[in-house]
Amino acid sequence: MGAQLGSSERSPQTSKGAAPAGEHAEETLIAVRKAKAAKLRERAENPFANDVTSGEPLVDLASARARFEGAKNAAGRYDAEKVAPEPLRIAGRVLFLRQMGGVSFVRLRDRTGELQLYCDEAVLGEAYARLHEEIDLGDIIEASGTAMATQKGELSVKATSFRLLTKAYRPLPTKTSFKDVEARYRMRYVDLVANREVATVFRARTFIVSALRRFFDGQGFLEVETPTMHTIIGGAAAKPFKTHHNTLDMELFMRIAPELYLKRLVVGGFERVYEIARCYRNEGLSTRHNPEFTMLEYYQAYATYETLMDQTEAMLRAVDEALAQVLPEEHATWAKARTWSFEKFVRVPMAKAIENALSRSGLPPEVATNVAADDAPIKAWAKAAKEKKREIDWANFRAGMKKCDSEGERVFCAYEYLAEPFLTADYRTSPGGDGSKSLPVFIIDYPFEVSPLARKKDGNGSLVDRFELFVDGRELCNAFSELNDPEDQDARFRAQVEKKAKGAEETMDYDADYVRALEYGMPPTAGFGMGVDRLTMLLTGAASIRDVILFPLLRPEASGS
């Protein structure tokens, strides 16, 4: 007889996606658990104890296992003769409870892992009956005992005593029932228990952020914090969230990027700065977009965008290697499933990417810059592309072209529809490889009209020193040599204001203070921005940005659920 995570003892959650038992059945189970807690109180025992620091120190479950690493045999099982009966005091959540005659096996989990508790009626005496009468799956208990190995070679703690630390009133869902995506996102606290791989992804995220910090700290960068509430819209072309400061009676905007404040610090002499910044953009939801997200931005004086391309390759490889060291088994699984490789990075000018895409599709060069009012050329181009098996979104491409006000905007639009969707197909590991994986692609040299903060290229004022990196077809980061000419920046800001006056929503305001800062002199500088959420998705193979954000934005929960 036994119970485990997913046994019939529990009624699943009432939220969408839980198992079929109704709300009444769950309420009955909750009432039974509350009655057990009341019984403990009658014995003057607290079902929500807080005296865990008294007595022998608690040993986390991974450390307990580590003490007996040398007791494993060739098959990875523990040799009972080599496991010394060392005293241990452990604690964790009950995931599994199984009784075999006068012995019960309890599986506990803490933040570090899992370990089995071996409960013998001959040792525990009267307390043994309480194990099944008062302890439920999901409860958090502590136990004292000695290390041992079972006949099957499972490392265990032979309990001499145990007690309840926290009573779980609500039963945990089953592993198979708690799969509804919205229910998992809404009740992440349950998701982390029911779906262990979810917890692994979020541990990976923490390690990724730590590795980023180590990388930049090791390069002499200074981590800083800049304001999250701005008086004007700046740093990126996006629609902001608005808020209001009551005392100052001032409208403020939640930051869409920390860029302009970080560059002010470069002016002030902080020549290498970075921030892991929470940012907010009032945009739609998708598998790659959440209105609240985390951005890494850094700025380096006396560097160019080419410097940052080299540094980006080193950074990504370093972070991936760090992740492999702390989560070797999980990383091996993720790496095996990857359709891309960090082995080699490709650098392609935007104009060349468009040229290559048109050539592979058998399309004429004028597709990139000209869309006629009538549909005849569009239909001809679409037919030609279809024959080459290129799935181009011609309708939106044409609609996008008609919104463009300049040659540079048309070039960028052509790139977005004709080249970007096919980067994974166009840039592969061959020659020199088997072509089974896509290569990361730096798209470089953007039109200046779509890059209001980037420095124009020497010798070609229609382009800027900018790159975006695409890995597995997804944009990961954006960087450029910074514009430090205050007069040029003044003109770019004014152009943004003109676009806003014509109805464009995703534009920046004129930032007079930033122009003034540039007038004090900013050294030649390159800047970089990357979504930490997207990097986590990439390295862990997550399909949606919501899978790497602990509490993503959701619609309000329906009443009664």
Side-chain angles (χ1 to χ4, degrees):
M1 122 182 198
Q4 57 184 312
L5 188 66
S7 79
S8 59
E9 180 270 339
R10 292 167 315 288
S11 165
Q13 305 296 316
T14 58
S15 297
K16 178 183 177 183
E23 182 177 345
H24 177 73
E26 185 180 46
E27 289 178 351
T28 300
L29 290 176
I30 292 173
V32 170
R33 291 184 174 217
K34 287 185 176 181
K36 293 179 180 180
K39 186 176 180 180
L40 266 68
R41 289 191 174 99
E42 291 173 2
R43 293 202 307 264
E45 296 180 21
N46 188 352
F48 300 96
N50 194 38
D51 57 347
V52 292
T53 56
S54 60
E56 292 297 318
L58 286 169
V59 178
D60 67 65
L61 303 186
S63 296
R65 284 189 175 278
R67 295 185 184 188
F68 304 97
E69 191 66 24
K72 287 183 179 179
N73 58 28
R77 299 187 178 278
Y78 291 85
D79 188 332
E81 295 183 357
K82 295 182 180 180
V83 177
E86 181 179 335
L88 293 170
R89 179 173 173 244
I90 60 175
R93 186 183 294 276
V94 176
L95 300 181
F96 176 89
L97 179 59
R98 178 168 58 91
Q99 184 177 12
M100 297 180 63
V103 174
S104 292
F105 301 91
V106 183
R107 173 68 57 174
L108 298 182
R109 178 191 290 166
D110 70 0
R111 76 185 192 284
T112 66
E114 298 180 5
L115 191 64
Q116 181 170 271
L117 191 63
Y118 180 94
C119 299
D120 190 339
E121 184 176 14
V123 175
L124 292 172
E126 295 181 358
Y128 182 79
R130 292 170 53 189
L131 180 65
H132 295 280
E133 293 172 358
E134 299 175 2
I135 302 300
D136 294 297
L137 300 186
D139 287 353
I140 298 171
I141 69 172
E142 73 165 38
S144 295
T146 55
M148 63 166 286
T150 65
Q151 291 181 348
K152 293 184 177 181
E154 175 71 19
L155 181 66
S156 307
V157 174
K158 187 174 184 180
T160 55
S161 66
F162 72 89
R163 67 166 179 151
L164 178 72
L165 293 178
T166 301
K167 188 66 184 174
Y169 284 161
R170 289 184 178 269
L172 292 170
T174 70
K175 288 184 176 181
T176 55
S177 71
F178 198 66
K179 294 297 182 182
D180 179 78
V181 174
E182 183 173 338
R184 289 179 45 237
Y185 294 157
R186 195 174 299 282
M187 295 189 291
R188 185 70 86 184
Y189 42 86
V190 180
D191 189 28
L192 293 169
V193 177
N195 300 307
R196 193 58 178 163
E197 67 278 6
V198 172
T200 301
V201 169
F202 286 105
R203 287 201 303 273
R205 180 189 174 110
T206 295
F207 296 140
I208 288 168
V209 172
S210 297
L212 288 171
R213 283 195 166 100
R214 287 196 302 274
F215 181 85
F216 287 103
D217 291 346
Q219 298 286 331
F221 283 79
L222 183 68
E223 183 176 9
V224 297
E225 294 180 338
T226 61
T228 58
M229 294 188 295
H230 296 178
T231 56
I232 62 175
I233 303 169
K239 187 176 180 180
F241 286 99
K242 298 179 181 179
T243 188
H244 186 82
H245 191 285
N246 291 335
T247 302
L248 297 178
D249 190 22
M250 179 187 297
E251 183 179 59
L252 297 170
F253 304 97
M254 302 302 294
R255 75 172 166 201
I256 55 179
E259 177 169 346
L260 298 183
Y261 281 98
L262 290 172
K263 288 193 286 192
R264 284 173 169 92
L265 295 178
V266 177
V267 172
F270 286 6
E271 295 175 346
R272 294 191 177 194
V273 291
Y274 76 94
E275 182 172 10
I276 298 176
R278 206 67 172 164
C279 298
Y280 311 85
R281 297 185 183 180
N282 200 348
E283 59 190 10
L285 300 173
S286 76
T287 57
R288 304 184 193 182
H289 297 87
N290 192 69
E292 181 179 4
F293 62 98
T294 302
M295 175 87 75
L296 163 72
E297 285 206 14
Y298 77 87
Y299 294 84
Q300 180 174 341
Y302 310 109
T304 68
Y305 80 129
E306 292 177 330
T307 310
L308 268 53
M309 275 189 276
D310 294 337
Q311 193 154 260
T312 298
E313 294 185 23
M315 175 196 69
L316 292 175
R317 290 186 178 118
V319 172
D320 195 40
E321 290 169 4
L323 189 60
Q325 291 176 2
V326 294
L327 294 173
E329 294 182 7
E330 294 86 347
H331 183 274
T333 300
W334 295 328
K336 185 177 181 180
R338 289 174 179 172
T339 58
W340 51 271
S341 171
F342 278 156
E343 180 180 350
K344 178 184 177 183
F345 289 69
V346 182
R347 303 180 184 186
V348 184
M350 182 176 288
K352 183 64 175 177
I354 297 171
E355 179 185 331
N356 291 344
L358 294 175
S359 175
R360 290 186 177 95
S361 299
L363 296 172
E366 59 265 25
V367 174
T369 56
N370 179 48
V371 174
D374 63 275
D375 289 337
I378 288 285
K379 292 177 180 179
W381 294 334
K383 182 179 179 180
K386 188 175 182 180
E387 291 172 353
K388 297 292 183 178
K389 300 182 187 275
R390 289 247 159 182
E391 297 297 330
I392 296 172
D393 187 349
W394 288 103
N396 281 326
F397 168 55
R398 182 172 184 270
M401 276 289 198
K402 288 186 173 297
K403 295 179 182 179
C404 296
D405 295 326
S406 65
E407 183 74 9
E409 290 178 353
R410 285 189 285 273
V411 169
F412 183 68
C413 183
Y415 159 74
E416 282 193 309
Y417 286 98
L418 304 179
E420 185 179 310
F422 311 105
L423 294 178
T424 55
D426 290 346
Y427 302 96
R428 311 292 295 180
T429 48
S430 59
D434 59 6
S436 63
K437 297 183 183 296
S438 67
L439 296 173
V441 181
F442 288 106
I443 297 297
I444 64 175
D445 300 346
Y446 280 58
F448 87 92
E449 294 96 332
V450 296
S451 311
L453 296 171
R455 183 183 184 278
K456 290 181 180 178
K457 294 187 70 65
D458 292 334
N460 187 349
S462 66
L463 302 177
V464 294
D465 289 338
R466 175 185 173 188
F467 73 75
E468 286 185 315
L469 176 62
F470 291 82
V471 183
D472 198 30
R474 300 179 180 184
E475 178 194 342
L476 182 64
C477 51
N478 179 35
F480 40 80
S481 299
E482 298 295 337
L483 174 59
N484 62 349
D485 180 340
E487 293 178 330
D488 192 352
Q489 184 64 80
D490 171 83
R492 307 268 194 105
F493 277 151
R494 293 187 186 281
Q496 288 283 296
V497 172
E498 290 177 6
K499 289 177 70 70
K500 189 186 296 287
K502 294 178 181 179
E505 290 186 329
E506 296 185 354
T507 56
M508 287 181 257
D509 291 334
Y510 186 94
D511 192 335
D513 180 71
Y514 179 67
V515 173
R516 179 170 59 190
L518 292 182
E519 289 175 342
Y520 281 94
M522 183 173 77
T525 298
F528 172 100
M530 177 179 68
V532 173
D533 314 288
R534 291 187 179 184
L535 177 61
T536 305
M537 288 174 62
L538 178 72
L539 298 184
T540 64
S544 171
I545 195 170
R546 293 186 176 190
D547 293 329
V548 299
I549 295 177
L550 280 167
F551 300 103
L553 182 66
L554 300 170
R555 295 181 185 277
E557 190 170 7
S559 59
S561 62

PDB file of all heavy atoms in Angstrom, residues 177-192:
ATOM      1  N   SER A 177      -1.773  15.144 -14.513  1.00  0.00           N
ATOM      2  CA  SER A 177      -2.951  15.995 -14.654  1.00  0.00           C
ATOM      3  C   SER A 177      -2.607  17.473 -14.737  1.00  0.00           C
ATOM      4  O   SER A 177      -3.293  18.242 -15.390  1.00  0.00           O
ATOM      5  CB  SER A 177      -3.915  15.778 -13.481  1.00  0.00           C
ATOM      6  OG  SER A 177      -3.385  16.322 -12.288  1.00  0.00           O
ATOM      7  N   PHE A 178      -1.527  17.871 -14.095  1.00  0.00           N
ATOM      8  CA  PHE A 178      -1.216  19.303 -14.020  1.00  0.00           C
ATOM      9  C   PHE A 178      -0.364  19.709 -15.214  1.00  0.00           C
ATOM     10  O   PHE A 178       0.807  20.030 -15.090  1.00  0.00           O
ATOM     11  CB  PHE A 178      -0.502  19.619 -12.708  1.00  0.00           C
ATOM     12  CG  PHE A 178      -0.525  21.086 -12.359  1.00  0.00           C
ATOM     13  CD1 PHE A 178      -1.708  21.735 -12.050  1.00  0.00           C
ATOM     14  CD2 PHE A 178       0.644  21.825 -12.330  1.00  0.00           C
ATOM     15  CE1 PHE A 178      -1.726  23.071 -11.726  1.00  0.00           C
ATOM     16  CE2 PHE A 178       0.631  23.173 -12.005  1.00  0.00           C
ATOM     17  CZ  PHE A 178      -0.557  23.799 -11.701  1.00  0.00           C
ATOM     18  N   LYS A 179      -0.951  19.691 -16.387  1.00  0.00           N
ATOM     19  CA  LYS A 179      -0.231  20.005 -17.611  1.00  0.00           C
ATOM     20  C   LYS A 179      -0.838  21.186 -18.356  1.00  0.00           C
ATOM     21  O   LYS A 179      -0.251  21.650 -19.322  1.00  0.00           O
ATOM     22  CB  LYS A 179      -0.212  18.778 -18.537  1.00  0.00           C
ATOM     23  CG  LYS A 179       0.593  17.601 -17.978  1.00  0.00           C
ATOM     24  CD  LYS A 179       2.054  17.948 -17.808  1.00  0.00           C
ATOM     25  CE  LYS A 179       2.851  16.772 -17.299  1.00  0.00           C
ATOM     26  NZ  LYS A 179       4.280  17.123 -17.076  1.00  0.00           N
ATOM     27  N   ASP A 180      -2.014  21.657 -17.942  1.00  0.00           N
ATOM     28  CA  ASP A 180      -2.612  22.803 -18.614  1.00  0.00           C
ATOM     29  C   ASP A 180      -1.682  23.999 -18.488  1.00  0.00           C
ATOM     30  O   ASP A 180      -1.255  24.370 -17.390  1.00  0.00           O
ATOM     31  CB  ASP A 180      -3.971  23.128 -17.997  1.00  0.00           C
ATOM     32  CG  ASP A 180      -4.606  24.333 -18.650  1.00  0.00           C
ATOM     33  OD1 ASP A 180      -5.143  24.185 -19.754  1.00  0.00           O
ATOM     34  OD2 ASP A 180      -4.537  25.427 -18.056  1.00  0.00           O
ATOM     35  N   VAL A 181      -1.363  24.601 -19.628  1.00  0.00           N
ATOM     36  CA  VAL A 181      -0.340  25.650 -19.657  1.00  0.00           C
ATOM     37  C   VAL A 181      -0.728  26.841 -18.795  1.00  0.00           C
ATOM     38  O   VAL A 181       0.069  27.329 -17.979  1.00  0.00           O
ATOM     39  CB  VAL A 181      -0.079  26.090 -21.114  1.00  0.00           C
ATOM     40  CG1 VAL A 181       0.857  27.282 -21.143  1.00  0.00           C
ATOM     41  CG2 VAL A 181       0.508  24.936 -21.917  1.00  0.00           C
ATOM     42  N   GLU A 182      -1.952  27.333 -18.931  1.00  0.00           N
ATOM     43  CA  GLU A 182      -2.345  28.511 -18.175  1.00  0.00           C
ATOM     44  C   GLU A 182      -2.369  28.226 -16.679  1.00  0.00           C
ATOM     45  O   GLU A 182      -1.942  29.063 -15.869  1.00  0.00           O
ATOM     46  CB  GLU A 182      -3.716  29.012 -18.623  1.00  0.00           C
ATOM     47  CG  GLU A 182      -4.139  30.290 -17.911  1.00  0.00           C
ATOM     48  CD  GLU A 182      -5.413  30.894 -18.455  1.00  0.00           C
ATOM     49  OE1 GLU A 182      -5.767  30.595 -19.612  1.00  0.00           O
ATOM     50  OE2 GLU A 182      -6.051  31.658 -17.714  1.00  0.00           O
ATOM     51  N   ALA A 183      -2.868  27.050 -16.283  1.00  0.00           N
ATOM     52  CA  ALA A 183      -2.887  26.697 -14.869  1.00  0.00           C
ATOM     53  C   ALA A 183      -1.468  26.631 -14.313  1.00  0.00           C
ATOM     54  O   ALA A 183      -1.202  27.081 -13.189  1.00  0.00           O
ATOM     55  CB  ALA A 183      -3.601  25.364 -14.665  1.00  0.00           C
ATOM     56  N   ARG A 184      -0.535  26.107 -15.095  1.00  0.00           N
ATOM     57  CA  ARG A 184       0.852  26.026 -14.647  1.00  0.00           C
ATOM     58  C   ARG A 184       1.452  27.412 -14.457  1.00  0.00           C
ATOM     59  O   ARG A 184       2.126  27.672 -13.461  1.00  0.00           O
ATOM     60  CB  ARG A 184       1.684  25.234 -15.662  1.00  0.00           C
ATOM     61  CG  ARG A 184       1.390  23.745 -15.688  1.00  0.00           C
ATOM     62  CD  ARG A 184       2.242  23.047 -16.735  1.00  0.00           C
ATOM     63  NE  ARG A 184       3.616  23.506 -16.655  1.00  0.00           N
ATOM     64  CZ  ARG A 184       4.282  24.047 -17.667  1.00  0.00           C
ATOM     65  NH1 ARG A 184       3.706  24.202 -18.848  1.00  0.00           N
ATOM     66  NH2 ARG A 184       5.529  24.438 -17.503  1.00  0.00           N
ATOM     67  N   TYR A 185       1.219  28.319 -15.410  1.00  0.00           N
ATOM     68  CA  TYR A 185       1.764  29.671 -15.286  1.00  0.00           C
ATOM     69  C   TYR A 185       1.118  30.403 -14.111  1.00  0.00           C
ATOM     70  O   TYR A 185       1.783  31.167 -13.400  1.00  0.00           O
ATOM     71  CB  TYR A 185       1.508  30.468 -16.568  1.00  0.00           C
ATOM     72  CG  TYR A 185       2.238  29.971 -17.785  1.00  0.00           C
ATOM     73  CD1 TYR A 185       1.765  30.257 -19.065  1.00  0.00           C
ATOM     74  CD2 TYR A 185       3.405  29.221 -17.680  1.00  0.00           C
ATOM     75  CE1 TYR A 185       2.430  29.818 -20.195  1.00  0.00           C
ATOM     76  CE2 TYR A 185       4.073  28.775 -18.799  1.00  0.00           C
ATOM     77  CZ  TYR A 185       3.584  29.070 -20.063  1.00  0.00           C
ATOM     78  OH  TYR A 185       4.247  28.629 -21.179  1.00  0.00           O
ATOM     79  N   ARG A 186      -0.168  30.185 -13.914  1.00  0.00           N
ATOM     80  CA  ARG A 186      -0.883  30.916 -12.875  1.00  0.00           C
ATOM     81  C   ARG A 186      -0.479  30.437 -11.476  1.00  0.00           C
ATOM     82  O   ARG A 186      -0.398  31.230 -10.537  1.00  0.00           O
ATOM     83  CB  ARG A 186      -2.394  30.761 -13.072  1.00  0.00           C
ATOM     84  CG  ARG A 186      -3.230  31.744 -12.277  1.00  0.00           C
ATOM     85  CD  ARG A 186      -4.697  31.639 -12.616  1.00  0.00           C
ATOM     86  NE  ARG A 186      -4.982  31.916 -14.019  1.00  0.00           N
ATOM     87  CZ  ARG A 186      -5.043  33.133 -14.543  1.00  0.00           C
ATOM     88  NH1 ARG A 186      -4.821  34.195 -13.786  1.00  0.00           N
ATOM     89  NH2 ARG A 186      -5.312  33.292 -15.828  1.00  0.00           N
ATOM     90  N   MET A 187      -0.279  29.135 -11.353  1.00  0.00           N
ATOM     91  CA  MET A 187       0.105  28.570 -10.062  1.00  0.00           C
ATOM     92  C   MET A 187       1.517  27.994 -10.162  1.00  0.00           C
ATOM     93  O   MET A 187       1.729  26.791 -10.034  1.00  0.00           O
ATOM     94  CB  MET A 187      -0.905  27.499  -9.632  1.00  0.00           C
ATOM     95  CG  MET A 187      -2.293  28.043  -9.358  1.00  0.00           C
ATOM     96  SD  MET A 187      -3.398  26.823  -8.607  1.00  0.00           S
ATOM     97  CE  MET A 187      -3.611  25.684  -9.986  1.00  0.00           C
ATOM     98  N   ARG A 188       2.466  28.856 -10.403  1.00  0.00           N
ATOM     99  CA  ARG A 188       3.839  28.412 -10.589  1.00  0.00           C
ATOM    100  C   ARG A 188       4.353  27.686  -9.348  1.00  0.00           C
ATOM    101  O   ARG A 188       5.169  26.768  -9.437  1.00  0.00           O
ATOM    102  CB  ARG A 188       4.738  29.603 -10.912  1.00  0.00           C
ATOM    103  CG  ARG A 188       6.157  29.219 -11.250  1.00  0.00           C
ATOM    104  CD  ARG A 188       6.240  28.493 -12.608  1.00  0.00           C
ATOM    105  NE  ARG A 188       6.340  29.439 -13.703  1.00  0.00           N
ATOM    106  CZ  ARG A 188       6.348  29.095 -14.975  1.00  0.00           C
ATOM    107  NH1 ARG A 188       6.252  27.813 -15.318  1.00  0.00           N
ATOM    108  NH2 ARG A 188       6.434  30.008 -15.918  1.00  0.00           N
ATOM    109  N   TYR A 189       3.862  28.065  -8.173  1.00  0.00           N
ATOM    110  CA  TYR A 189       4.287  27.422  -6.936  1.00  0.00           C
ATOM    111  C   TYR A 189       3.927  25.937  -6.939  1.00  0.00           C
ATOM    112  O   TYR A 189       4.605  25.126  -6.301  1.00  0.00           O
ATOM    113  CB  TYR A 189       3.661  28.125  -5.733  1.00  0.00           C
ATOM    114  CG  TYR A 189       2.211  28.507  -5.905  1.00  0.00           C
ATOM    115  CD1 TYR A 189       1.190  27.619  -5.631  1.00  0.00           C
ATOM    116  CD2 TYR A 189       1.865  29.771  -6.397  1.00  0.00           C
ATOM    117  CE1 TYR A 189      -0.145  27.964  -5.809  1.00  0.00           C
ATOM    118  CE2 TYR A 189       0.534  30.126  -6.590  1.00  0.00           C
ATOM    119  CZ  TYR A 189      -0.467  29.208  -6.291  1.00  0.00           C
ATOM    120  OH  TYR A 189      -1.783  29.567  -6.479  1.00  0.00           O
ATOM    121  N   VAL A 190       2.865  25.566  -7.634  1.00  0.00           N
ATOM    122  CA  VAL A 190       2.509  24.151  -7.780  1.00  0.00           C
ATOM    123  C   VAL A 190       3.290  23.538  -8.934  1.00  0.00           C
ATOM    124  O   VAL A 190       3.778  22.405  -8.850  1.00  0.00           O
ATOM    125  CB  VAL A 190       0.988  23.989  -8.010  1.00  0.00           C
ATOM    126  CG1 VAL A 190       0.629  22.511  -8.164  1.00  0.00           C
ATOM    127  CG2 VAL A 190       0.202  24.599  -6.856  1.00  0.00           C
ATOM    128  N   ASP A 191       3.434  24.276 -10.004  1.00  0.00           N
ATOM    129  CA  ASP A 191       4.149  23.805 -11.186  1.00  0.00           C
ATOM    130  C   ASP A 191       5.566  23.375 -10.835  1.00  0.00           C
ATOM    131  O   ASP A 191       6.065  22.350 -11.318  1.00  0.00           O
ATOM    132  CB  ASP A 191       4.168  24.934 -12.222  1.00  0.00           C
ATOM    133  CG  ASP A 191       4.690  24.499 -13.579  1.00  0.00           C
ATOM    134  OD1 ASP A 191       4.544  23.313 -13.910  1.00  0.00           O
ATOM    135  OD2 ASP A 191       5.218  25.359 -14.307  1.00  0.00           O
ATOM    136  N   LEU A 192       6.238  24.129  -9.971  1.00  0.00           N
ATOM    137  CA  LEU A 192       7.613  23.835  -9.600  1.00  0.00           C
ATOM    138  C   LEU A 192       7.726  22.520  -8.848  1.00  0.00           C
ATOM    139  O   LEU A 192       8.758  21.849  -8.901  1.00  0.00           O
ATOM    140  CB  LEU A 192       8.192  24.974  -8.751  1.00  0.00           C
ATOM    141  CG  LEU A 192       8.382  26.309  -9.468  1.00  0.00           C
ATOM    142  CD1 LEU A 192       8.686  27.411  -8.476  1.00  0.00           C
ATOM    143  CD2 LEU A 192       9.474  26.218 -10.519  1.00  0.00           C
TER     144      LEU A 192
END
